[in-house]
């Protein structure tokens, strides 16, 4: 509010009323015709779902949209895209990196793993010393699911399954977004390998990453990069004994025969969304506000002031790459995060997509808890996912897969 009053309004003459509202109040307000013009910090799944109901403005209608979106990686706004239209502007971003205890690995005479295969080969040594490795889990909870907190959360965290899916050359949906492709060979293999980490290799499904990493019980963990802020504040006694790097990759062969390591990593975040309006002046003023909010200078100032107020545990995860590099990260940290960020991929939001994550979580629980066959389980659930997509596409008058 202070930034709007001392920067945006004096420069544009546009007055802005900033209000804090509960997320579930937004839908009711929009339906009642009393909604805001611009909404900040909405969940990644919201812009497309509002757009399907003709309640969000398409940002590609503005002539300078490409220039504005060039401040973000294409993966950052993949979730806000529907066909050739974009209905949200990236605001914050989060993706996984690999944290490791330098002192523990040195004691065990182990190197930081470069691929998943190397990580698997290290497990007997790590587990033989009564230690463990932490990966995001969809069956119970891990602190990575909460992204910014050290408190275990009951939100299923599917980020590592999505990551393996991308690294194996798969995708969540087909090009048209009319059906899921998790039942393709790459999807089945990613699912099978993901559940193996728990069933065959005995990795924990419920744990608090920050606590175990701090004590040294979990010398390697895949977690959202925001866990860095939590560790810096809550575990000062291990400062200098740990670091983070890019996640392990999968060795793949390029069409020309050269081998490379694919480090694709799932990315998500929050967005800024413009609510549909028939008033051209409000639409243009709203766009000016969104451009100001997404700009490097605004994001840097907001990030620095938040961190000055709340400390480094509240370091702002801006989606603007230029602004990100000007926050209080060291040059080495920025190099690692930029490398991982460039390898991130978002998942498109499709009609009925809310069922996808739910059913993949159900499939994972079924295989881990009941020891069902992984291939049959994911194929069974992919049929249920497709049924919901078809149902929703028909509801919105969109073409469906024959």
């Amino acid at each position: 509010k202070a930034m709007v009053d001392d920067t945006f309004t004096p420069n544009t003459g546009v007055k802005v009323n900033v209000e804090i509202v509960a997320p579930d109040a937004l839908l009711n307000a929009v339906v009642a015709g009393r909604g805001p013009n611009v909404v900040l910090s909405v969940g990644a799944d919201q812009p497309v779902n509002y757009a399907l109901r003709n309640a969000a403005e398409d940002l590609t209608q503005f002539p300078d949209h490409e220039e504005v979106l060039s401040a973000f990686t294409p993966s950052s706004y993949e979730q806000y895209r529907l066909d050739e239209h974009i209905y949200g502007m990236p605001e914050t971003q989060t993706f996984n990196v690999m944290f490791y205890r330098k002192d523990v690995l040195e004691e065990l005479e182990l190197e930081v793993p470069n691929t998943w295969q190397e990580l698997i080969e290290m497990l007997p040594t790590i587990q033989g010393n009564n230690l463990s490795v932490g990966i995001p889990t969809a069956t119970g909870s891990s602190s990575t699911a909460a992204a910014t907190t050290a408190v275990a959360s009951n939100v299923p965290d599917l980020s590592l399954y999505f990551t393996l899916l991308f690294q194996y050359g798969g995708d969540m949906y087909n090009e048209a977004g009319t059906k899921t492709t998790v039942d393709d060979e790459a999807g089945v293999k990613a699912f099978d390998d993901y559940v193996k980490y728990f069933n065959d290799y005995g990795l924990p499904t419920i744990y608090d990453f920050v606590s175990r990493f701090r004590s040294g019980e979990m010398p390697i963990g895949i977690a959202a990069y925001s866990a860095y802020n939590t560790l810096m504040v809550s575990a000062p006694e291990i400062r200098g004994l740990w670091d983070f790097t890019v996640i392990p990759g999968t060795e793949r062969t390029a069409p020309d025969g050269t081998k490379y390591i694919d480090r694709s990593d799932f990315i998500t975040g929050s967005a800024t969304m413009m609510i549909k309006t028939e008033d051209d002046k409000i639409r243009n003023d709203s766009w000016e506000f969104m451009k100001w909010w997404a700009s490097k200078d605004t994001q840097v100032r907001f990030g620095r002031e938040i961190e000055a107020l709340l400390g480094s545990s509240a370091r702002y995860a801006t989606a603007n790459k230029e602004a990100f590099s000007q926050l209080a990260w060291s040059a080495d940290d920025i190099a690692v995060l930029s490398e991982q960020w460039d390898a991130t991929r978002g998942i498109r939001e499709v009609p009925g997509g809310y069922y996808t994550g739910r059913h993949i979580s159900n499939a994972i629980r079924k295989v881990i808890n009941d020891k069902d066959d992984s291939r049959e389980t994911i194929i069974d659930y992919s049929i249920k996912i497709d049924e919901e997509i078809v149902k929703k596409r028909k509801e919105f008058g969109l073409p469906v897969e024959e």
Side-chain angles (χ1 to χ4, degrees), residues 248-358:
T250 301
E251 198 171 276
R252 293 181 63 187
T253 306
D256 63 0
T258 55
K259 291 196 179 299
Y260 68 101
I261 291 178
D262 188 331
R263 294 193 198 281
S264 298
D265 191 1
F266 171 65
I267 191 170
T268 187
S270 62
T272 306
M273 173 174 74
M274 191 190 306
I275 299 298
K276 192 89 170 172
T277 177
E278 299 303 318
D279 188 319
D280 288 344
K281 183 179 185 314
I282 288 178
R283 189 184 299 118
N284 291 328
D285 287 350
S286 297
W287 178 238
E288 287 304 316
F289 175 78
M290 287 176 73
K291 286 196 294 184
W292 169 80
W293 175 240
S295 69
K296 180 191 76 173
D297 293 346
T298 306
Q299 289 289 297
V300 168
R301 180 181 164 193
F302 182 77
R304 286 177 178 170
E305 291 190 12
I306 285 284
E307 192 166 340
L309 279 170
L310 303 174
S312 57
S313 64
R315 186 167 301 163
Y316 185 53
T318 179
N320 184 311
K321 282 201 80 173
E322 262 192 274
F324 184 87
S325 64
Q326 292 187 26
L327 296 178
W329 297 97
S330 72
D332 290 347
D333 293 344
I334 286 174
V336 169
L337 291 168
S338 294
E339 183 186 346
Q340 189 61 75
W341 204 337
D342 289 339
T344 54
R345 286 181 58 183
I347 291 177
R348 284 169 299 155
E349 194 66 35
V350 302
Y354 52 82
Y355 246 45
T356 307
R358 197 180 305 174

Side-chain angles (χ1 to χ4, degrees), residues 216-268:
E217 292 170 75
M218 196 169 265
I220 294 177
I222 310 294
Y225 77 82
S226 48
Y228 172 95
N229 307 330
T230 312
L231 286 164
M232 289 299 282
V233 173
S234 64
E237 72 276 16
I238 58 166
R239 191 165 293 178
L241 300 178
W242 62 276
D243 205 347
F244 68 91
T245 187
V246 291
I247 62 170
T250 301
E251 198 171 276
R252 293 181 63 187
T253 306
D256 63 0
T258 55
K259 291 196 179 299
Y260 68 101
I261 291 178
D262 188 331
R263 294 193 198 281
S264 298
D265 191 1
F266 171 65
I267 191 170
T268 187

Side-chain angles (χ1 to χ4, degrees), residues 12 20-21 49 102 109 126 180 199 207 217 253 264 354:
T12 61
I20 295 176
V21 295
N49 278 306
K102 295 189 282 191
E109 297 179 352
I126 292 172
T180 183
N199 280 355
Y207 62 92
E217 292 170 75
T253 306
S264 298
Y354 52 82

Side-chain angles (χ1 to χ4, degrees), residues 108-128:
L108 298 175
E109 297 179 352
L110 295 172
E111 296 289 321
V112 178
N114 193 34
T115 62
W116 294 107
Q117 187 56 39
E118 286 178 17
L119 178 64
I120 288 167
E121 286 165 7
M122 290 165 58
L123 285 175
T125 306
I126 292 172
Q127 292 170 332

